[in-house]
Amino acid sequence: MILPIYIYGQPVLRKVAQDIGPDYPELPQLLNDMWETLAASEGIGLAAPQIGRDIRVVIIDLDPLAEDFPEYKGFRQAYINAHIVETDDSKTAASEEGCLSLPAIHEKVTRPTRIHVQWQDEQFQQHDEWVEGYLARVMQHEFDHLEGRMFIDHISPLRKQLIKSKLKALTQGRYRCGYRTKPVVRK
């Protein structure tokens, strides 16, 4: 089932997500729904808070980028209870980022190019690894959602001021995008 993407201003996007256990209700169905939602929105990553769940679950599909990044051909992974343990700040790179929860907003974000992550797969097997390059950027972007952060939190105050009206429009439901969304409901 294709789920609505929660748009900037939804409180769940600013909550720190919780770890889950193998007994989490209907996790396989939730992951299937997340994969369908990601495909329908033409994104490359989706975190559970973006569909209204405050749990530490992320999916990443880099296969659509295989033409530019052949090393990611067929790359599709779910990350459960994902945490960034450490960043190697000795080398950073700036690149434009966008987010399904911030339609039509793109900004240049500087991030470390190498990170140390711990996570579990769908069978709850533990993984502990250093990740580099584009995958490290995508992981940082998606794992930020698990900490209640968004990519706009990494831009300068000046840039944030320049997009203030766009952010306000999102919170007021004034935006267009080609996928199902859940805007903020004003009372």
Side-chain angles (χ1 to χ4, degrees):
M1 173 173 41
I2 297 170
L3 304 170
I5 304 287
Y6 280 52
I7 298 299
Y8 176 80
Q10 286 280 4
V12 70
L13 295 173
R14 292 303 192 176
K15 284 181 74 174
V16 175
Q18 303 300 309
D19 283 350
I20 62 170
D23 59 340
Y24 187 82
E26 300 179 23
L27 181 60
Q29 183 60 52
L30 175 65
L31 288 169
N32 283 337
D33 292 347
M34 287 179 73
W35 286 117
E36 278 187 50
T37 302
L38 183 64
S41 60
E42 298 182 1
I44 59 169
L46 184 65
Q50 293 180 275
I51 54 158
R53 305 278 184 107
D54 64 343
I55 58 172
R56 297 188 84 84
V57 175
V58 164
I59 59 169
I60 295 175
D61 181 1
L62 295 183
D63 187 62
L65 307 177
E67 192 172 302
D68 293 327
F69 299 97
E71 66 271 27
Y72 296 128
K73 178 80 176 143
F75 185 95
R76 194 174 135 112
Q77 180 65 55
Y79 299 88
I80 299 170
N81 300 328
H83 294 270
I84 296 175
V85 179
E86 181 181 359
T87 58
D88 178 354
D89 296 323
S90 65
K91 185 176 178 196
T92 60
S95 187
E96 192 170 273
E97 293 186 19
C99 181
L100 296 174
S101 293
L102 293 155
I105 296 178
H106 297 85
E107 290 291 325
K108 194 165 274 204
V109 177
T110 300
R111 296 188 185 269
T113 59
R114 185 170 178 260
I115 59 171
H116 179 197
V117 294
Q118 292 178 342
W119 55 281
Q120 294 170 319
D121 59 29
E122 294 176 55
Q123 288 72 46
F124 285 84
Q125 296 298 309
Q126 188 69 35
H127 297 265
D128 185 321
E129 62 185 326
W130 281 92
V131 179
E132 297 183 42
Y134 194 75
L135 178 58
R137 173 173 293 279
V138 175
M139 283 178 149
Q140 287 172 85
H141 177 106
E142 296 305 332
F143 294 5
D144 267 357
H145 283 296
L146 305 179
E147 302 299 335
R149 291 188 303 258
M150 302 179 87
F151 82 88
I152 56 169
D153 299 332
H154 298 284
I155 63 176
S156 73
L158 174 61
R159 287 299 313 157
K160 198 156 187 180
Q161 187 63 34
L162 291 172
I163 64 168
K164 187 176 182 179
S165 63
K166 290 181 181 180
L167 294 173
K168 184 176 182 182
L170 290 177
T171 65
Q172 295 173 342
R174 294 184 292 117
Y175 60 89
R176 287 179 184 228
C177 61
Y179 47 88
R180 199 169 156 217
T181 64
K182 184 167 179 72
V184 177
V185 177
R186 295 284 176 204
K187 295 178 183 178

